[in-house]
């Protein structure tokens, strides 16, 4: 298929999904952009790299003011389109909840911009030195299905703030909505700032195009956000990779915890977008002495408790064992509580339930697996030391996120130290760790194995020093 036909096909697909007339987003293939694409949509990596390099040069010439203007434009567009794009993303990906899909787009102005870039200066008898944060050039970014437009947009903001152009290889099941966002951003950027293809996207994305991005000589930096497969693949590359990998966040609750606050927090974080967040509460370890009160607190806060036989039925449906390895069934990932409850053999009278929960033992697959669905297992433990031990075990060394509800400072401190996770949240929902109901800023790429943490524009810069020896010190 040639480039023009391909783009036309993509647009048709997007339009069909939108269920709108052709007055909605469309791409003219006449007079295609640099490298053969248009509005950032490319069917091959080489053409995208040529276009992105040209865009990078223009962005560099535009300076910090232009970067700032582009970021503000992207943030404005994502908020304006949040309701429509949230619906389109849910229809395409079929995971998560509409209200939270929209929220995830509406909060994107919380992603930091150029204000994060700071020059360090050294001045003395020998002259002056400036330590600057320079762009890399063209970044290759892999994005997940769980937050397709949010991750793409947050990456775009941080990476452009740092002065880069980006080529995205989105998850195939969230590629059309990602292409729509890229098209919308590029059109507005081109109209206002005269730069085409600052954000490029490969349509259709495949593992082959991901590999081409990984290996391309003119892409010096990779950013991979996703599960264990892509994390492993990106870490194997010989060039610099920032890897935002999987998590399985444990929650520890001790006898000093405010149980009602803990219950509300677990429902907020674990129920968010049907537990698709990599930071979301995935399993809970509660000390025996308050276990029954904690279960009652969960019900008071609106979660629905499953019985042992209902949990057994749900577990059977929600996990698949192949070649001795158990993994989640895609049919249940990101689905509503009503779908899970049906599999559990019960019908939910209240359709507005955010989270199901119930008592399991440690061996239930809901504990070790990153289920990404709104059922959270609660495991009874004799004391808090055992709870922390199990939290370490089931976090699997991902170094991602852990949560504690306690009012014992020693216990909180001890757990924070031994978990060694990128995010450690105390007495709040996991989402507080991303600046939603807690202090701090937002990002949808939390770089865990490579250590950059909750990414900011700084994560996408390279250090450069300019030294002026023996001069320019004016005092
Ligand atoms: P996924 O691993 O199935 O896919 C993620 C992306 O990687 C997709 O674009 C996919 O096409 C690509 N991919 C997969 N295998 C690849 C390979 N071998 N080579 C190149 N590309 C490959 O994950 P998903 O289902 O889209 O997202 C959910 C997972 O991502 C969860 O494990 C979640 O914890 C994790 N996640 C992490 C963060 C973070 O910031 N750390 C953010 C969101 C999601």
């Amino acid at each position: 298929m040639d480039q023009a036909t391909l783009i036309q096909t993509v647009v048709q697909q997007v339009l069909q999904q939108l269920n709108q007339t052709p007055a909605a987003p469309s791409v003219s293939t006449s007079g295609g952009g640099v490298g053969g694409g248009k509005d950032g949509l490319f069917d091959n990596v080489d053409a995208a790299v040529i276009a992105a390099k040209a865009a990078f040069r223009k962005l560099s010439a535009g300076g910090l003011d232009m970067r700032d203007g582009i970021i503000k434009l992207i943030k404005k567009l994502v908020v304006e389109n949040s309701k429509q794009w949230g619906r389109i993303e849910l229809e395409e990906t079929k995971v998560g909840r509409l209200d939270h899909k929209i929220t995830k787009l509406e909060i994107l102005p919380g992603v930091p911009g150029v204000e994060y870039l700071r020059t360090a200066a050294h001045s003395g008898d020998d002259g002056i030195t400036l330590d600057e944060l320079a762009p890399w050039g063209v970044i290759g970014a892999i994005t997940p299905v769980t937050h397709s437009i949010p991750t793409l947009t947050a990456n775009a903001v941080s990476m452009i703030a740092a002065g880069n152009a980006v080529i995205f290889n989105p998850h195939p099941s969230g590629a059309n909505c990602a292409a729509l966002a890229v098209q919308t951003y590029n059109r507005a950027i081109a109209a206002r700032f005269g730069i085409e293809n600052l954000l490029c996207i490969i349509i259709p994305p495949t593992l082959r195009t991901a590999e081409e991005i990984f290996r391309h000589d003119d892409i010096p930096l990779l950013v991979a956000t996703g599960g264990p497969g892509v994390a492993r693949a990106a870490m194997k590359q010989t060039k610099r990779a920032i890897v935002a990998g999987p998590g399985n966040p444990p929650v520890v609750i001790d006898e000093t915890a405010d149980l009602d606050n803990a219950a509300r927090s677990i429902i907020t974080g674990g129920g968010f977008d049907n537990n698709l967040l990599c930071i979301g509460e995935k399993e809970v370890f509660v000390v025996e002495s308050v276990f029954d009160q904690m279960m009652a607190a969960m019900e008071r806060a609106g979660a629905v408790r499953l019985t042992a036989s209902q949990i057994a039925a749900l577990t059977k449906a929600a996990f698949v064992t192949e070649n001795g390895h158990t993994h989640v069934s895609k049919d249940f990932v990101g689905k509503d509580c009503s779908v899970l409850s049906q599999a559990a053999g019960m019908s939910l009278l209240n359709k507005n339930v955010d989270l199901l929960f119930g008592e399991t033992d440690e061996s239930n697959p809901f504990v070790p697996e990153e289920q990404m669905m709104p059922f959270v297992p609660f495991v009874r433990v004799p004391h808090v030391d055992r709870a922390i031990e199990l939290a370490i075990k089931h976090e699997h060394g991902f170094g991602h996120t852990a949560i504690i509800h306690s009012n014992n400072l020693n216990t909180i401190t001890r757990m924070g130290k031994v978990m060694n996770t990128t995010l450690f949240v105390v007495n709040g929902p996991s989402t507080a760790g991303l600046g939603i109901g807690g202090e701090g800023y937002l990002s949808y790429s939390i770089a865990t194995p490579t250590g950059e943490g909750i990414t900011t524009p700084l994560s996408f810069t390279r250090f450069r020093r300019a030294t002026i020896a023996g001069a320019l010190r004016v005092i």
Side-chain angles (χ1 to χ4, degrees):
M1 193 185 292
D2 65 19
Q3 179 84 358
T5 320
L6 175 101
I7 290 174
Q8 208 68 57
T9 310
V10 170
V11 171
Q12 286 310 322
Q13 282 172 357
V14 170
L15 288 173
Q16 274 166 14
Q17 293 223 358
L18 289 169
N19 198 16
Q20 289 176 344
T21 64
S26 65
V27 174
S28 159
T29 54
S30 61
V34 182
K38 178 86 178 144
D39 297 328
L41 275 60
F42 288 85
D43 73 341
N44 76 86
V45 172
D46 284 334
V49 171
I50 292 169
K53 280 171 71 178
F56 168 65
R57 283 192 292 273
K58 285 193 179 172
L59 184 70
S60 302
L64 282 171
D65 262 4
M66 186 184 277
R67 294 187 208 172
D68 190 39
I70 292 172
I71 288 162
K72 287 185 173 133
L73 183 60
I74 289 174
K75 289 181 175 180
K76 180 169 159 286
L77 285 168
V78 76
V79 172
E80 277 173 9
N81 285 289
S82 59
K83 290 193 173 54
Q84 192 196 17
W85 287 1
R87 178 176 58 77
I88 292 167
E89 179 160 342
L90 181 58
E91 280 170 8
E92 182 183 4
T93 61
K94 299 182 177 53
V95 292
R97 284 171 46 162
L98 181 59
D99 52 348
H100 294 159
K101 286 269 176 276
I102 294 169
T103 302
K104 288 196 297 187
L105 297 170
E106 285 173 344
I107 60 180
L108 276 155
V111 175
V114 291
E115 70 282 358
Y116 250 65
L117 304 174
R118 291 269 183 271
T119 299
H122 311 267
S123 173
D125 294 343
D126 290 332
I128 62 164
T129 286
L130 298 177
D131 294 338
E132 300 268 26
L133 298 168
W136 284 84
V138 177
I139 297 177
I142 312 284
T143 53
V145 67
T146 44
H147 335 288
S148 188
I149 303 179
T151 309
L152 179 141
T153 304
N155 279 182
V157 166
S158 303
M159 292 170 186
I160 292 171
N164 304 285
V166 198
I167 298 176
F168 290 100
N169 205 65
H171 193 290
S173 305
N176 287 343
C177 62
L180 173 65
V182 164
Q183 182 189 63
T184 307
Y185 296 148
N186 275 321
R187 284 182 167 181
I189 294 167
R192 177 89 64 87
F193 299 97
I195 306 183
E196 291 181 349
N197 304 311
L198 185 58
L199 305 167
C200 297
I201 187 164
I202 307 299
I203 298 291
T206 62
L207 286 183
R208 184 182 55 76
T209 56
E211 191 64 25
E212 285 172 21
I213 288 175
F214 285 166
R215 300 260 164 108
H216 203 290
D217 285 342
D218 290 336
I219 298 179
L221 177 64
L222 303 173
V223 180
T225 306
V230 70
R232 264 193 308 273
M235 301 276 285
K236 273 200 314 222
Q237 303 307 314
T238 50
K239 66 179 71 166
R240 170 95 196 278
I242 295 176
V243 178
N248 191 37
V251 184
V252 164
I253 299 177
D254 77 2
E255 55 283 341
T256 68
D258 175 339
L259 300 183
D260 286 315
N261 179 57
R264 284 192 303 272
S265 299
I266 291 167
I267 294 169
T268 300
F272 194 80
D273 211 17
N274 287 339
N275 211 351
L276 286 184
L277 293 181
C278 56
I279 60 167
E281 288 82 346
K282 297 292 190 296
E283 65 277 344
V284 185
F285 303 103
V286 190
V287 296
E288 166 79 51
S289 60
V290 294
F291 188 88
D292 294 333
Q293 292 104 294
M294 183 62 209
M295 299 303 260
M298 287 296 289
E299 287 187 292
R300 270 200 305 281
V304 169
R305 182 172 182 173
L306 302 190
T307 63
S309 62
Q310 288 166 341
I311 294 171
L314 175 61
T315 307
K316 197 162 171 232
F319 292 91
V320 185
T321 302
E322 284 168 331
N323 305 325
H325 175 67
T326 299
H327 58 85
V328 290
S329 159
K330 284 209 177 343
D331 294 343
F332 287 87
V333 167
K335 292 296 182 273
D336 291 341
C337 288
S338 56
V339 175
L340 269 60
S341 65
Q342 263 178 8
M346 72 179 297
S347 65
L348 279 181
L349 298 176
N350 176 3
K351 299 287 175 219
N352 296 322
V353 172
D354 291 328
L355 196 68
L356 307 176
F357 74 106
E359 180 172 2
T360 73
D361 61 28
E362 185 207 337
S363 64
N364 183 293
F366 273 104
V367 177
E369 297 297 320
E370 186 191 18
Q371 72 268 36
M372 293 189 285
M373 60 186 89
F375 170 81
V376 172
F378 280 60
V379 179
R380 196 186 286 262
V381 292
H383 46 71
V384 76
D385 288 347
R386 179 66 180 149
I388 294 173
E389 215 172 270
L390 290 180
I392 294 170
K393 175 177 173 189
H394 292 291
E395 209 275 329
H396 304 302
F398 289 141
H400 199 297
T401 298
I403 299 118
I404 186 168
H405 291 274
S406 168
N407 280 302
N408 182 326
L409 281 181
N410 289 335
T411 305
I412 295 169
T413 309
R414 190 152 43 86
M415 178 167 167
K417 278 188 183 165
V418 294
M419 289 306 301
N420 198 18
T421 44
T422 303
L423 274 167
F424 180 56
V425 179
V426 180
N427 295 338
S430 57
T431 41
L434 290 186
I436 309 153
E439 291 302 321
Y441 60 89
L442 174 69
S443 166
Y444 285 98
S445 292
I446 301 158
T448 38
T450 50
E452 292 79 4
I454 305 162
T455 53
T456 71
L458 302 183
S459 314
F460 308 115
T461 58
R462 44 188 288 270
F463 176 100
R464 288 185 57 194
R465 168 169 286 187
T467 294
I468 296 94
L472 283 185
R473 188 164 195 249
V474 294
I475 54 170

